[in-house]
Amino acid sequence: GIIIFGIGKRVTILLPIFFYHTLPQSLRVLGLGLVVTPPGQIEGLIKFINSNGDSREMKRALAVKLALQGYAYRAIENILNVSQGYVSKWKKRFITQGIPGLK
């Protein structure tokens, strides 16, 4: 099924993987304020965070994970001491390139 949840102006939609791949790239990346998260991506981020020794890559992955979980950029900014632009940059790179994009 489809799961939709959100905090404030951000909405996350979890879709079956077969449906995700049918969406146009523009919806997958920007989605007019929507974050479309294929199944397993957050779990993949958690594994990457737990197995990674590079603090910069870990911080990027944490920022993306929190954003995909629906945290407001301002909250992530305060939690990780990063800018909102940092969160946006790494989230977009993760959505388009996956975990290799965080390296």
Side-chain angles (χ1 to χ4, degrees), residues 16-34:
I17 195 74
F18 63 88
F19 184 75
Y20 173 78
H21 289 294
T22 65
L23 292 173
Q25 182 67 22
S26 60
L27 277 178
R28 286 190 248 166
V29 177
L30 302 175
L32 301 174
L34 300 178

Side-chain angles (χ1 to χ4, degrees), residues 42-90:
I42 292 178
E43 291 80 6
L45 277 170
I46 292 169
K47 287 179 185 175
F48 179 72
I49 291 164
N50 290 335
S51 67
N52 194 315
D54 185 319
S55 62
R56 295 171 303 164
E57 291 176 8
M58 191 181 313
K59 192 177 219 178
R60 295 170 191 155
L62 282 169
V64 170
K65 177 181 169 283
L66 293 171
L68 292 177
Q69 290 177 318
Y71 283 81
Y73 282 22
R74 182 159 293 162
I76 300 168
E77 181 179 25
N78 292 330
I79 292 167
L80 297 178
N81 195 31
V82 297
S83 69
Q84 292 179 33
Y86 177 95
V87 178
S88 178
K89 170 186 174 179
W90 291 108

